[in-house]
Amino acid sequence: MSSKSILARLDKVVDDFCRRTRYFREKMTQGRARMFAMQHRLNTRQRNSVLKLKVATNCPDWDTRIGIIKACSEEVIADHEHGGGRAHWEILEDLGTRIGLKRSEIRAATPLPTTQLAWAAWEGLMANRHWLEGIVANTCAERANVPGYGTGVMRKHGWFGLERHRWGKLFKLSDDELEFFELHEEADIEHSDAGWRTVERFAKKLHMEEEVVAACEKNLTVWEMYLNGIGEAGDRLDTR
């Protein structure tokens, strides 16, 4: 692949995100893990029941639209291929109970200010942009679950491979108990590959190479804020 190709440029943006984000590089703690379980359960529901569907609504390519809706249904309704018929947020909720959270506590969680700000930013980046920019917004963070970005364990196994390693060591959990991360290692490769292929197919045709790279940069800046906000709030849990 040429270094100037659109996918190579997007891959560089994702690699930069994986290398610079503090949440990936700083130590995982019990407070950070618990805060992630509560916030990411909320975020999974919001992104897949509201934000990603706005992109699907705007998308004129029928196959791409159906693909988005199918991926969203796995996250919020039922994933029969990877999750045994459970929605991904339900699997994350189960994981939260294994690391010391009560189910009632998880369900009563409210979004952090940084999570709320991320949702507001994504509303603009996904609902009020060209659909191809929205495709990038849908998939750019999922791309971080694909091996080859960042350094160390993350580069070898992807973001959720890193989390599976860190959470397993911290909480003495088996791979089966950490199924939330493992299923995303599989599902997000599939989802992000579909998004990357769509961008490759349409970006040059629509003369939108610069726009999709900029969309990737902006969205990953929001993800960086979202994750670092979880880390900071988790640190406050650790000091209680």
Side-chain angles (χ1 to χ4, degrees), residues 39 63 68 144 147 167 173 176 197 205 221 226 234:
Q39 292 299 302
D63 289 341
I68 294 170
W167 288 45
L173 297 175
D176 286 344
R197 287 195 301 268
K205 179 180 178 181
T221 296
Y226 163 74

Side-chain angles (χ1 to χ4, degrees), residues 110-124:
T110 57
L112 295 168
T114 43
T115 299
Q116 295 180 58
L117 187 57
W119 290 348
W122 283 321
E123 178 78 21

